Amino acid sequence: MIVVMKSPCSDQDIKHVLTCLENHSLTGHLSHGVERTVIGVLGAVGPSGAPGSIGGINPTLGETLEGLSGVESVLRVSKPYKLASREFHPKDTVVEVPDACVSKGVVSIGGSEVVMMAGPCAVESEKQLMRAAEAVRKEGAVILRGGAFKPSTSPYGFRGLGEEGLKLLAKVRSELGIAVITEVMTPTDVPMVCEYADILQIGTRNMQNYMLLDEVGRIRKPVVLKRGMSATIEEWLLAAEYILSQGNRNVILCERGIRTFEKLTRNMMDISAIPLIKQLSHLPIISDPSQGTGRRDLVGKMTLASVAAGTDGLLIEVHPNPDEALKDGAQSLAIEQFRELMPQVDAVAQAIGRTLVTK
Amino acid sequence: MIVVMKSPCSDQDIKHVLTCLENHSLTGHLSHGVERTVIGVLGAVGPSGAPGSIGGINPTLGETLEGLSGVESVLRVSKPYKLASREFHPKDTVVEVPDACVSKGVVSIGGSEVVMMAGPCAVESEKQLMRAAEAVRKEGAVILRGGAFKPSTSPYGFRGLGEEGLKLLAKVRSELGIAVITEVMTPTDVPMVCEYADILQIGTRNMQNYMLLDEVGRIRKPVVLKRGMSATIEEWLLAAEYILSQGNRNVILCERGIRTFEKLTRNMMDISAIPLIKQLSHLPIISDPSQGTGRRDLVGKMTLASVAAGTDGLLIEVHPNPDEALKDGAQSLAIEQFRELMPQVDAVAQAIGRTLVTK
Amino acid sequence: MIVVMKSPCSDQDIKHVLTCLENHSLTGHLSHGVERTVIGVLGAVGPSGAPGSIGGINPTLGETLEGLSGVESVLRVSKPYKLASREFHPKDTVVEVPDACVSKGVVSIGGSEVVMMAGPCAVESEKQLMRAAEAVRKEGAVILRGGAFKPSTSPYGFRGLGEEGLKLLAKVRSELGIAVITEVMTPTDVPMVCEYADILQIGTRNMQNYMLLDEVGRIRKPVVLKRGMSATIEEWLLAAEYILSQGNRNVILCERGIRTFEKLTRNMMDISAIPLIKQLSHLPIISDPSQGTGRRDLVGKMTLASVAAGTDGLLIEVHPNPDEALKDGAQSLAIEQFRELMPQVDAVAQAIGRTLVTK
Amino acid sequence: MIVVMKSPCSDQDIKHVLTCLENHSLTGHLSHGVERTVIGVLGAVGPSGAPGSIGGINPTLGETLEGLSGVESVLRVSKPYKLASREFHPKDTVVEVPDACVSKGVVSIGGSEVVMMAGPCAVESEKQLMRAAEAVRKEGAVILRGGAFKPSTSPYGFRGLGEEGLKLLAKVRSELGIAVITEVMTPTDVPMVCEYADILQIGTRNMQNYMLLDEVGRIRKPVVLKRGMSATIEEWLLAAEYILSQGNRNVILCERGIRTFEKLTRNMMDISAIPLIKQLSHLPIISDPSQGTGRRDLVGKMTLASVAAGTDGLLIEVHPNPDEALKDGAQSLAIEQFRELMPQVDAVAQAIGRTLVTK
């Protein structure tokens, strides 16, 4: 950490900063430049230092220093996350999901294969779910998505079938052998969702629901952590750090678009987040072009772009009859559209030296 | 709702839209313009219509229509929130908080008075809290703020004292008679927080934590609902609608800055939200210039700007010794700074025909 | 155009709107819904209507109506651009650039081929330019980029060699036969830049420099129009409309990243703009992943993502010695990196049924 | 400047950085922390250092360093602007405008008085302009605004009367004695606009039109520089630096709203920019709540908020008949609304110890 002093600043101000550092068992190293004085902070600050600093006060030291008289700004040198960083864990993390529908009996996310997860936005009925599941499985999807608990911007919107929806997912899973991913929205629901699903999903609105992150950190099932709709990459990795620091290492990040000023798309997919996460972190990253665009007519191209940029998997909404979907019909692919897309995904994956796992 | 068709579009496409409307018991009214065909939707769509549409499927009808072949866009004519709208409730809502420190025994938020809520970001110790509380009360604050549960971006940051912090708040409240506002972060904590606090606060990260909104909707204590850091005004009012629709009418909105590209401030306060909310809604609105700027040196001016724009109250972080704060020291005012600010607040309030309530 | 009235609104307000429409030779069609009154506007409003409305007052009619008493909002039904829209010109526009370095003698932008434009950010010297040009040509680039006029955020930054830089570009062009693209920053420079370059580029800061748009609209050379850093897609197409409406039909759009809250990248590339522009417009679109990310380590993946999403070409900064670049060294590829990238581009292009033109 | 190395990084990488610094006549000071190596850069980098660095290469050194192998990030310690900074010029700059309509014969912007500039968005006719001018002068405005050159997002929109509009402004100025502010859009128009106007305005779209900035830097008339719609405060001050560095010290900044995701307002006013600019710079700052909101019904409150936050002046659109305005009718105040607003402005100004100059 580096403290940049205002120009000019008083000796009193400098002394004040040094004392504050000492109070935190740190040493300040003064450097008087041509224009201004800079204080380098020596000693471990924050999560990646000595054990004593974990769970302690230090992460807010920067804020405290910023508030001191004569301080212009505080520059952080270390990354605020540790367990999620590639520096801490240089090798790619590969998350394994037991999956009876593939010959190996397990799907690996974060390795050389690209994984397709598809299904309806929301579980609406057994018939709808089964039709969707059979169709996406037939085209090569190896994980079934489907929401039983649905966040709805309006209190008057469809909020999902709840446990009944989970049971339908489990039923389809046992019949088709396909693994299942579904969203969990509140800490008390975690045990129940764990009972029925293979992967738990934390939605964009809950990326900073810390008690929920703590809770899914205590289980060992894989967790897909969607990026908050206005979260920086650093905040996203810090949210992953919450889960990791509770002991659950099976974290998969999911880019699903951020909020910008553009009005023609519901969200704007940050495709550059895919290679950036690969540099900063060892965790797998998947893409959700359905939420990421909000428009069915853009899902195909954004799927291909994600694969070309290095995504480890895709989460795509497919509905047997999008026009009658209870939720997000505008962004769901019809089955024929999904069928056309899959060979294109495979072709782009192969062009960059990966393969789409389908069986 | 108005469905705008692409140009050109087929008769088939138009028929498809009309059938879809009929399936939802609605009628489409065709209008062939010079350039394109437009279909007006007659009948009640969404929350503000017939009782049957509340809690139903209709809020997503727009999305379904957007996904149909030949549809260019769907324009909503009605507002998606009802109970929060000024159309539904033309008179200002005034939320009353029992408060032994003022002579009337009650503080009214949303009327002609401006209400100052102040105190430390986080409850750290009895001594710290008592010193802050005495100081802000002495200068005229009538509600004490202080966080017992603190959302922290890093899992290694200070997350608050929990119930111990609530007890300290309750102790100071009983000694000074001042009403207390504090944050609640998860549904299961609502009963406990209710026991100790006069106003519950929903933080920016939880504005769309729907199960938490449902839960505070079931109580009757006042709830301060902070704007999500990237929430539109419409989404914010829909979050308020969640609480209102559960029966709790004591909702107070709080502008606390949004996320933009600017790097010199932590957030950017949307001062225009204050008069805009006053037009669209009957609910009171307060301002948090501490979170709204993240910089102590901007808090004073943004407080005055909020008052001039019509805010009903302020939520300001004041710490007896900001340099030693465990949280958000950089944005907390020292007591002397708060003392200087209060007469200025009063002067601007009077300039626009309001008064700062202090006793 | 549809005028949505407030609820309630007075007969007086409605009459006022109707009169205002009549004053603009338009007719209002009243429709009383359950909740509110809506006025459909019949007649040609804005650019896509009768000739009389072009160049006239109508584009601002919406704003006027929005300001009338009792008006809640005004919804536009027609797109505000005409010549740039696919509705007006359903077939893809293919821009042809004479280019002696390819066997056909011409490069087509907007057809089935993908076109690589590469070279240094700024022209620095004959040696630097020639080395870069020879290298990128050798690897298969068919158009040379290089700035003679450079926009610099700081007045103390490098602003380019000016006409001397143009002459160097022309010299290299005549020696290698490669076509040249370079930026023009002000209307009075347009004739000079035309003398030396094959394609003129309008930079992001000048997307709404209307007098410059008018000027490049009067020539017939191809113009690459970069997206403004906070421009919506509609505003971007309206900027293209400026050029088109002056008679120059050789407009190529260029996605180069927009401004968001993320701090790890200089800009955020909106990859979804590529398929979206293809739907809305007939104009070719290319991508600039160097500006679009600001980071050399992301350029490769974002190039591949752009190709997968359907870009017609790429604009990439390559420098013979990025560490000594006078401008934008951090985002320039070294020659070896460019050499590794090209076969990958070709592979992804082929995976989606296109080819990278190289000779 | 501080160079943060990746962890781990090779000795080779470190040596490379040190050599690069030496090539720029700078010295690197190594500091090996617990986690990573940091290199402090000694010597003058950029504008505020030795004369040699002005106009040179150094402003891009940071970018070059960022691109070197093993470099994690580069932290700037000095501000990139100099002449615009308060450190360079601690005292407030007061810009004086000759103005026959006030008793002193001159209006001072940036001192203790608040200055009201008002008038129509666009000059439409002599009658319209004269009526608006007389009305705003009568209510206490001391500077007349009115656009002769109008940037229009659509090429089919009203683009102003041009020189004819300037002549009308000059005529009204000579009849009423009121000083005049008007926009200039391109370098070649600067001499002509100077002939007719007292203050030149650079619009939001031209904040980074560097050749225009250079040109108004060569004159000595006051220049109002509007913030770019997605400009950071630092970029805005760098644009001011362009003008200042050419010798024109009469620069007035104008906050006019930035672009965000909110859809209910055209722009979002960054009121916090007012106190922030006052800290960082000695230049006066004014506010434009008409452009800043795009909604007539918010202009009044945002005017008062600006004054409370410390603005030195206001730029407000007033039209004798907003419903018939050729441009921006929705955000123009009617004369009665302006009349009601002025005493409120005065009251808030007095509440913070300033006065509204009216005569």
Side-chain angles (χ1 to χ4, degrees), chain B residues 108-313:
Chain B
S108 302
I109 303 172
S112 65
E113 290 174 332
V114 175
V115 175
M116 178 62 73
M117 314 181 184
C121 175
V123 176
E124 297 170 17
S125 69
E126 183 172 348
K127 193 178 148 199
Q128 171 247 19
L129 185 63
M130 183 56 86
R131 275 187 59 199
E134 286 175 338
V136 300
R137 178 66 200 102
K138 190 176 159 214
E139 305 311 328
V142 292
I143 293 176
L144 175 66
R145 61 152 293 153
F149 296 100
K150 295 302 306 174
S152 160
T153 306
S154 162
Y156 310 117
F158 179 59
R159 296 176 67 183
L161 298 180
E163 188 166 7
E164 191 196 326
L166 293 176
K167 285 180 180 163
L168 293 179
L169 281 168
K171 190 171 180 196
V172 170
R173 173 173 66 160
S174 82
E175 292 189 18
L176 301 187
I178 193 168
V180 156
I181 174 171
T182 199
E183 180 161 354
V184 60
M185 285 174 64
T186 204
T188 47
D189 285 348
V190 170
M192 178 171 69
V193 177
C194 270
E195 233 179 273
Y196 298 106
D198 302 286
I199 308 178
L200 276 68
Q201 177 186 309
I202 305 288
T204 185
R205 292 170 182 81
N206 283 314
M207 192 199 84
Q208 294 189 316
N209 184 336
Y210 299 123
M211 288 169 182
L212 181 56
L213 298 182
D214 282 344
E215 197 65 30
V216 298
R218 290 185 200 107
I219 60 168
R220 293 297 172 266
K221 287 220 168 173
V223 175
V224 161
L225 177 67
K226 289 200 163 186
R227 183 178 184 176
M229 61 184 88
S230 66
T232 62
I233 295 212
E234 189 173 294
E235 289 168 336
W236 190 15
L237 288 171
L238 278 165
E241 188 87 3
Y242 261 89
I243 305 174
L244 295 166
S245 66
Q246 291 289 345
N248 188 350
R249 302 296 163 111
N250 295 308
V251 177
I252 300 162
L253 300 166
C254 178
E255 164 63 28
R256 51 76 69 204
I258 60 160
R259 181 149 282 187
T260 73
F261 55 80
E262 178 58 58
K263 296 169 189 169
L264 294 179
T265 43
R266 187 192 271 201
N267 297 295
M268 186 174 290
M269 278 194 90
D270 177 12
I271 296 289
S272 67
I274 299 169
L276 201 44
I277 285 288
K278 286 283 173 198
Q279 282 181 39
L280 297 172
S281 178
H282 52 92
L283 296 172
I285 179 166
I286 65 171
S287 308
D288 179 344
S290 305
Q291 289 290 338
T293 62
R295 293 173 60 133
R296 183 189 303 162
D297 54 10
L298 298 177
V299 168
K301 295 294 187 196
M302 295 310 283
T303 297
L304 302 183
S306 297
V307 174
T311 197
D312 293 311

Side-chain angles (χ1 to χ4, degrees), chain C residues 79-99:
Chain C
K79 297 202 178 83
Y81 45 88
K82 181 186 181 192
L83 306 175
S85 75
R86 196 170 273 283
E87 294 175 2
F88 174 76
H89 186 292
K91 246 182 67 181
D92 286 345
T93 284
V94 178
V95 173
E96 308 226 309
V97 183
D99 193 342

Side-chain angles (χ1 to χ4, degrees), chain B residues 12-32:
Chain B
Q12 193 61 24
D13 289 340
I14 293 174
K15 212 176 142 193
H16 197 171
V17 171
L18 295 176
T19 307
C20 176
L21 291 174
E22 276 165 34
N23 292 346
H24 288 86
S25 310
L26 298 165
T27 313
H29 179 263
L30 241 73
S31 156
H32 298 287

